[in-house]
Amino acid sequence: QVQLQESGPGLVKPSETLSLTCTVSGGSMTSYYWSWIRQPPGKGLEWIGYIFFSGSTNYNPSLESRVTISVDTSKNQFSLTMTSVTAADTAVFYCARMHTNGWFDHWGQGSLITVSS
Amino acid sequence: SSELTQDPAVSVALGQTVRITCQGDSLGRFPATWYQQKPGQAPVLVIYGKNNRPSGIPDRFSGSSSGNTASLTITGTQAEDEADYYCNSRDTTAHYVFGTGTKVTVL
């Protein structure tokens, strides 16, 4: 059974860069898309972007200027970098496996990132 | 990217049927998928494709669509179905968007 686990700093200062890593276990990263999704406290889900195992990416236009997703299949990991964070970026960040037909079938438990000085 | 609109909240009596709708221009071309999220937990896929359920999802969950509206129906709603439900779809540039979410309360 595929499992995903996010790891991150928990707290990031305003204007700094947020970095999160998702470790995939129980399966190969090949032939799937790997995605990041976030959820501000008490609010809905927002798709951030995805990366194919080969490295091609696609991002939410509203975040594209600040976001980079990368993959390291040798470590079974993919990562999210978000620059110039503000309090509005405070959220639970989920990593998820996305089937080639576009559904998110496996999710991590989520990692709360708080942006505060 | 496209927007997907859902009713903020619906309530249903135990054992009855509830339908949750999702409206958006992209749904006329791309199917919706549906996710259930309980408090403090990650979302769980409940319906994908036209009307498919992942292993472990009860058959009381079903999906349908007509034009620009997708629906998730829970037939014989159980207390454990009380949760937030989100639809999701894509646009022509493969950007994905989630619906605004519907809170289902079981009375």
Side-chain angles (χ1 to χ4, degrees):
Chain A
Q1 176 75 335
V2 173
Q3 292 186 317
L4 295 85
Q5 178 68 59
E6 305 90 351
S7 56
L11 181 66
V12 182
K13 289 183 169 54
S15 80
E16 295 191 343
T17 296
L18 177 165
S19 295
L20 284 161
T21 296
C22 183
T23 300
V24 180
S25 58
S28 170
M29 297 190 74
T30 304
S31 300
Y32 287 98
Y33 293 85
W34 302 91
S35 194
W36 288 97
I37 294 153
R38 70 178 181 176
Q39 184 172 38
K43 296 188 177 180
L45 300 167
E46 181 180 32
W47 174 73
I48 297 171
Y50 64 66
I51 188 165
F52 196 43
F53 77 100
S54 60
S56 60
T57 55
N58 201 358
Y59 300 116
N60 186 324
S62 69
L63 298 170
E64 186 167 13
S65 63
R66 299 194 293 129
V67 168
T68 302
I69 299 176
S70 58
V71 66
D72 186 341
T73 55
S74 68
K75 294 183 179 179
N76 261 28
Q77 291 179 334
F78 63 108
S79 299
L80 170 71
T81 300
M82 180 180 288
T83 61
S84 304
V85 298
T86 70
D89 294 311
T90 293
V92 174
F93 285 76
Y94 295 101
C95 60
R97 189 181 82 170
M98 192 177 89
H99 190 277
T100 50
N101 287 335
W103 49 83
F104 305 98
D105 59 359
H106 292 277
W107 295 64
Q109 64 185 25
S111 176
L112 174 63
I113 300 295
T114 301
V115 180
S116 174
S117 55
Chain B
S1 58
S2 301
E3 294 184 350
L4 298 177
T5 302
Q6 299 179 237
D7 290 331
V10 297
S11 59
V12 56
L14 186 67
Q16 297 304 300
T17 296
V18 62
R19 188 172 76 169
I20 304 160
T21 61
C22 173
Q23 293 187 305
D25 290 342
S26 65
L27 298 178
R29 182 169 177 179
F30 301 104
T33 56
W34 290 93
Y35 300 86
Q36 176 193 70
Q37 186 180 34
K38 296 181 179 179
Q41 299 183 18
V44 172
L45 177 68
V46 294
I47 292 290
Y48 65 95
K50 295 255 178 172
N51 180 19
N52 300 291
R53 287 174 287 105
S55 173
I57 300 300
D59 61 5
R60 62 179 179 268
F61 290 89
S62 63
S64 62
S65 67
S66 177
N68 292 343
T69 300
S71 300
L72 173 70
T73 300
I74 311 174
T75 304
T77 307
Q78 301 300 301
E80 61 263 32
D81 300 332
E82 185 162 288
D84 294 328
Y85 290 84
Y86 294 91
C87 59
N88 178 265
S89 188
R90 55 163 287 181
D91 64 18
T92 54
T93 57
H95 293 145
Y96 285 79
V97 63
F98 285 93
T100 49
T102 298
K103 181 177 181 62
V104 172
T105 299
V106 181
L107 304 174

